[in-house]
Amino acid sequence: MTINGKKIIVSLSAIPVAMSALNAVAEEKRPNILLFMVDDMGWQDTSVPFADSITANNRKYHTPAMERLAASGMKFTSAYASAISSPSRCSLITGMNAVNHKVTNWTLHRDKTTDEPSDIGIPAPDWNYNGISTVPGINNTYVGTSFVQRLKDSGYHTIHCGKAHFGAIDTPGENPAHFGFEVNITGSAAGGLATYLSEKNFGHTPDGKPVSPFAIEGLEKYWGTGTFVTDALTKEAIAALDKAKKYNQPWFLYMSHYAVHIPVDKDMRYYQKYLDQGLSEKEAAYASLVEGMDRSLGELLDWIDENGEADNTIVIFMSDNGGFAASNQWRTGELHTQNAPLRSGKGSLLEGGIREPMIVRWNGHTKPASECSNYLLIEDFYPSILEMAQVELTNSVDGKSFVPMIHGTGNPSEGRALLWNYPHVWGLPGPGIDFSCAMRKDDWKIIYNYITGEKEVYNLAKDPYEHNNLAKANPAQTKKLSAELGNLLRERNAQRPILKSTGVVCPWPDEVN
């Protein structure tokens, strides 16, 4: 062959060796990936503003690591998830929308639903209350292919740390190892935690017995040490990374914190600071959870820097649903957070329940301190992470890669409908909360209540905080959105509640004027 005008003779026997060397170089260039997932964190529970201006909530919290990440990466201001945990996490791991995988409520015990009783006597429809799995044979389970398994099969070392919540106890979904994680730190069927406190053995009696299904297993060495669970998980994650860096392969860490889920225990490293700031005891305790979570992010960013991996590690920050507030006050009796300027919170299909804080840092790809306002949904993480890892997407998923948004080469969500279906009870009956479904397409969003027939229609470009319901003022747009939402739900065989008074299934949105 000829290179720069000079004839070079290459032995055919040397070609396999040369190709092996080239493959090794290509393998070294595959990025590490840190997916940092927070539980129940509202859009504005941070000093990083995701609205178009700094809000009172931004001034309340202190999250320097998030500020650091946003300053060096891209902030996504229209990132969405499901309204509660299990649907989001099952969409994340399978790439499928909750309307398709039908894990539409939170999971815990095998063959038992977690449905709240309805004040008006409406039973929830059948759904996949056993969660997701990678093998068939268990009723009420969605079988799908995990993107983590794809990463592992392609040569990644895969680590799970923290909350899993993919499936019910005594099903394959209870163990992250079944989805391709080689290391599992505390991941189980539990969707929450009994306590953040090591003084309470993270939910165990003095003789080591769990007090509930929400006791955290695997952190026994921290019992009674005064180590907050967020800090204990971070220490374990860093120990796993110390091990991973010796393996000569790229790693994927799913750092899935229990914070900032209830109970609102005080992280005493930060609690007094927020009391001095004038917050109530409950607000100060919650703010301490937020800052403890942020410290974990900072320590992981420090590890990446100190180990020379900053240019070869993608960091993705996300929350699984909106903050535990507004529609949920009836549960706790005291409000400790809220999602203003967005309306409502966890469990609601209003923006406060589904819009999340998201940041991506991918050195050489994300422009520092940049923003993207294009919308995306949590199932989009599946094809995006595989594309980042240079793994070919060979199975069909609902998610669309947001990598073109990062590069500024396109908007995969243009003209795309995002879907939500929550045919269950979460809080008090009302629009956007119980027995609801929703769709966003371009600037328009519709929310439909199966029981009351009420519709809410918003132009999010002009009214991002959903103050002006246009359902009656713009009947033509309402009819158009209702028809598209109804057709999409029919195509996917979405579940609907049944009216107790008649025994008839609730109408589709386009069947109600």
Side-chain angles (χ1 to χ4, degrees), residues 157-161 182-185 221-222 232-247 251-255 300 303:
H157 177 53
T158 53
I159 307 165
H160 181 285
C161 184
E182 296 172 295
V183 176
N184 175 29
I185 303 165
K221 69 182 179 182
Y222 298 100
L233 290 173
T234 307
K235 292 178 185 296
E236 292 299 298
I238 288 175
L241 290 179
D242 286 338
K243 190 81 169 176
K245 71 180 181 180
K246 302 174 183 178
Y247 287 172
W251 50 259
F252 170 71
L253 168 60
Y254 180 41
M255 184 72 230
L300 288 170
W303 186 94

Side-chain angles (χ1 to χ4, degrees), residues 9 11 34 52 122 143 161 200 239 246-247 283 286 348 486:
I9 298 175
S11 169
L34 165 60
D52 54 8
I122 304 294
V143 178
C161 184
K200 296 182 179 180
K246 302 174 183 178
Y247 287 172
E283 289 175 320
Y286 180 74
S348 170

Side-chain angles (χ1 to χ4, degrees), residues 103-115:
V103 186
T104 46
N105 209 350
W106 62 282
T107 61
L108 183 58
H109 294 290
R110 179 166 178 161
D111 293 334
K112 293 181 180 179
T113 75
T114 54
D115 291 308

Side-chain angles (χ1 to χ4, degrees), residues 145-181:
T145 302
S146 162
F147 80 87
V148 183
Q149 186 67 52
R150 299 290 310 284
L151 291 177
K152 178 185 174 185
D153 291 345
S154 75
Y156 270 77
H157 177 53
T158 53
I159 307 165
H160 181 285
C161 184
K163 172 177 170 174
H165 209 198
F166 302 131
I169 296 169
D170 293 333
T171 73
E174 71 175 353
N175 190 342
H178 292 142
F179 298 99
F181 286 103

Side-chain angles (χ1 to χ4, degrees), residues 55-239:
T55 66
N57 275 345
N58 297 143
R59 296 186 182 94
K60 180 189 300 184
Y61 300 103
H62 183 56
T63 54
M66 287 186 68
E67 293 177 25
R68 171 182 166 190
L69 189 63
S72 58
M74 176 177 282
K75 185 169 60 174
F76 288 78
T77 57
S78 297
Y80 290 97
S82 291
I84 58 172
S85 178
S86 288
S88 283
R89 292 165 189 269
C90 292
S91 290
L92 167 72
I93 208 76
T94 65
M96 303 305 292
N97 186 271
V99 176
N100 280 333
H101 65 59
K102 293 179 173 51
V103 186
T104 46
N105 209 350
W106 62 282
T107 61
L108 183 58
H109 294 290
R110 179 166 178 161
D111 293 334
K112 293 181 180 179
T113 75
T114 54
D115 291 308
E116 297 276 355
S118 167
D119 289 350
I120 52 178
I122 304 294
D126 196 31
W127 58 283
N128 283 334
Y129 43 77
N130 283 328
I132 59 172
S133 178
T134 57
V135 295
I138 295 177
N139 61 290
N140 295 88
T141 300
Y142 176 83
V143 178
T145 302
S146 162
F147 80 87
V148 183
Q149 186 67 52
R150 299 290 310 284
L151 291 177
K152 178 185 174 185
D153 291 345
S154 75
Y156 270 77
H157 177 53
T158 53
I159 307 165
H160 181 285
C161 184
K163 172 177 170 174
H165 209 198
F166 302 131
I169 296 169
D170 293 333
T171 73
E174 71 175 353
N175 190 342
H178 292 142
F179 298 99
F181 286 103
E182 296 172 295
V183 176
N184 175 29
I185 303 165
T186 80
S188 68
L193 70 169
T195 176
Y196 289 85
L197 304 178
S198 64
E199 296 87 337
K200 296 182 179 180
N201 297 340
F202 302 131
H204 295 80
T205 62
D207 59 356
K209 295 179 181 178
V211 298
S212 77
F214 302 108
I216 300 174
E217 305 293 343
L219 298 179
E220 288 79 6
K221 69 182 179 182
Y222 298 100
W223 289 4
T225 64
T227 306
F228 211 69
V229 75
T230 309
D231 194 28
L233 290 173
T234 307
K235 292 178 185 296
E236 292 299 298
I238 288 175

